Amino acid sequence: MSQSSHVITLLPGDGIGPEITAAVVDIIAATGVKITWEEHIAGKAALDKMGDPLPESVLDSIKKNKVALKGPLTTEVGKGFKSVNVQLRKSLNLYANLRPTKTIPGARARYTGVDIIVVRENTEDLYAGIENEIAPGVIQASKIITREASTRIAKFAFEYARVHHRKKVSAIHKANIMKLADGLFLKCCQEVAQDYPDIQYNEVIVDNCCMQLVTNPTQFDVMVLENLYGDIVSDLCAGLVGGLGVVPGANIGTEASVFEAVHGSAPDIAGKGIANPTAMLLSAVMMLQHIAEDHAAERILSAVYRVLGEGKVLTPDLRGDATTRQFTDEIIKFIN
Ligand code: NAI
């Protein structure tokens, strides 16, 4: 363990966010890693208190500390303020969304041996949020795909593959229909692939990709996708290994990185004390690796795997009856 103290921005978030971030903070503290958490609010709570769902102070804190751990934030459907998650990614240029989806020992899932890295472009596509009513009853939403962002995400995926000794990168697309937009994305992936002759490269149309994922998920290694396909396909991947409660995520940029679970604020179970903190905890493990606290990350991983593997103390989403607190205490018990 490093003796130095880290300063990290903490956004507990909405719904189950405060419950699962509290659990994660306790588990990290049990490893002895010294972290000073700079806590901020964002989303509806910040709008009510400070008149802005994403106050400048939040962005300043993340820019200063370069690392944040974030709980889920609620985004209203079809109305309300623009998604703070999307704004955060755009404002901090967190261009790569990284979601490792791996079979977890003990977590009940339909498949074994899944080990897929989903690399999702995080800044453009339909998520640029450009929507216009061009005539009454006619809405136009713009899909923005640029050479710059597509090349950057392709490089990220291939570089990740090389550094982590992965064998294959699959570019997922719908260029048979969106010949210009997805065609450009594919072209950029093909160009980048030429610089990585040691890594296999293939292309899969997104609808076929979904079918292949549920019939034979172990054929996939690293996947690189535009924003919208990445959002959908990464949730599908989460379903292969036990659901949203167990899959971590990271939003990586050149100046800062924000670590967060794949799942949302789960309003249906918020406040009941039964949320599963595993996804948030595994995101925090990615964060600890990012700040070179690898030993603490390893100790947390083996404790989580042990608790999930034994299957005695599990939250209801994993068909157990433990509370978030009981599950957290069980993990802390095995941190040594
Ligand atoms: P959700 O992920 O919040 O919930 C989907 C289902 O999974 C629910 O049944 C929920 O109870 C369950 N679930 C999710 N996380 C769980 C956990 N840790 N433990 C146990 N069960 C869990 O997705 P939903 O309902 O579509 O979205 C709710 C809100 O979250 C929306 O406002 C959405 O915009 C927001 N959201 C925020 C994200 C973020 O901040 N990164 C990501 C996804 C959604």
Side-chain angles (χ1 to χ4, degrees):
M1 181 195 15
S2 106
Q3 290 307 305
S4 62
S5 171
H6 307 273
V7 184
I8 293 178
T9 306
L10 182 68
L11 301 173
D14 299 319
I16 59 169
E19 301 163 48
I20 55 176
T21 41
V24 168
V25 165
D26 282 357
I27 292 168
I28 293 178
T31 67
V33 169
K34 295 193 189 78
I35 295 181
T36 305
W37 299 100
E38 241 176 57
E39 195 169 321
H40 286 269
I41 51 169
K44 173 121 181 26
L47 181 67
D48 292 347
K49 202 170 163 193
M50 301 154 90
D52 184 352
L54 182 57
E56 218 33 60
S57 52
V58 174
L59 293 172
D60 288 345
S61 170
I62 302 175
K63 282 180 193 157
K64 174 172 68 72
N65 299 329
K66 306 204 181 316
V67 181
L69 184 64
K70 176 188 158 295
L73 291 167
T74 300
T75 307
E76 285 185 302
V77 175
K79 57 179 175 159
F81 54 82
K82 274 192 181 178
S83 163
V84 173
N85 296 314
V86 175
Q87 280 191 63
L88 202 57
R89 291 166 197 169
K90 277 169 77 176
S91 310
L92 296 168
N93 206 8
L94 305 172
Y95 70 89
N97 184 267
L98 183 62
R99 296 184 180 183
T101 310
K102 198 170 171 182
T103 297
I104 294 183
R108 288 190 194 136
R110 288 173 192 272
Y111 303 88
T112 54
V114 177
D115 186 3
I116 302 171
I117 305 293
V118 181
V119 177
R120 165 186 167 194
E121 204 290 322
N122 227 1
T123 62
E124 56 181 25
D125 193 0
L126 279 158
Y127 286 53
I130 305 168
E131 293 189 310
N132 297 300
E133 184 166 17
I134 52 175
V138 184
I139 305 294
Q140 183 182 51
S142 302
K143 169 166 174 148
I144 309 291
I145 298 295
T146 64
R147 169 172 284 283
E148 188 191 350
S150 303
T151 302
R152 185 173 59 177
I153 199 68
K155 276 189 185 155
F156 183 96
F158 276 95
E159 204 51 42
Y160 184 97
R162 185 174 274 170
V163 170
H164 294 86
H165 311 293
R166 314 288 298 214
K167 291 192 170 56
K168 185 168 78 176
V169 172
S170 305
I172 313 303
H173 67 96
K174 191 75 186 173
N176 49 330
I177 304 297
M178 275 153 283
K179 293 176 194 291
L180 288 183
D182 288 16
L184 174 60
F185 177 78
L186 269 195
K187 195 164 183 298
C188 296
C189 291
Q190 289 159 6
E191 285 167 7
V192 172
Q194 290 184 358
D195 295 333
Y196 294 83
D198 48 319
I199 314 272
Q200 290 172 45
Y201 170 70
N202 73 339
E203 296 168 352
V204 188
I205 294 178
V206 64
D207 38 353
N208 178 31
C209 169
C210 292
M211 192 273 289
Q212 297 286 341
L213 276 167
V214 293
T215 49
N216 178 17
T218 55
Q219 68 182 289
F220 291 99
D221 191 345
V222 177
M223 298 167 88
V224 61
L225 309 93
E226 293 168 5
N227 207 340
L228 176 63
Y229 307 146
D231 194 4
I232 298 167
V233 169
S234 58
D235 271 26
L236 194 164
C237 289
L240 302 174
V241 298
L244 292 172
V246 295
V247 175
N251 297 293
I252 311 279
T254 44
E255 304 299 323
S257 298
V258 176
F259 295 82
E260 64 176 336
V262 171
H263 61 72
S265 54
D268 53 335
I269 56 164
K272 294 187 179 162
I274 54 166
N276 183 356
T278 302
M280 187 78 184
L281 186 59
L282 295 178
S283 309
V285 164
M286 291 172 80
M287 182 196 79
L288 289 170
Q289 289 161 342
H290 183 80
I291 60 170
E293 293 286 3
D294 294 281
H295 184 53
E298 271 310 309
R299 289 164 65 211
I300 292 176
L301 263 189
S302 65
V304 181
Y305 285 173
R306 180 159 174 189
V307 173
L308 293 173
E310 286 186 349
K312 291 187 204 139
V313 182
L314 299 175
T315 45
D317 58 305
L318 297 178
R319 289 175 243 169
D321 58 6
T323 62
T324 309
R325 190 67 250 170
Q326 288 165 334
F327 181 73
T328 304
D329 289 342
E330 190 71 1
I331 291 174
I332 290 173
K333 198 167 97 187
F334 291 123
I335 287 184
N336 44 40

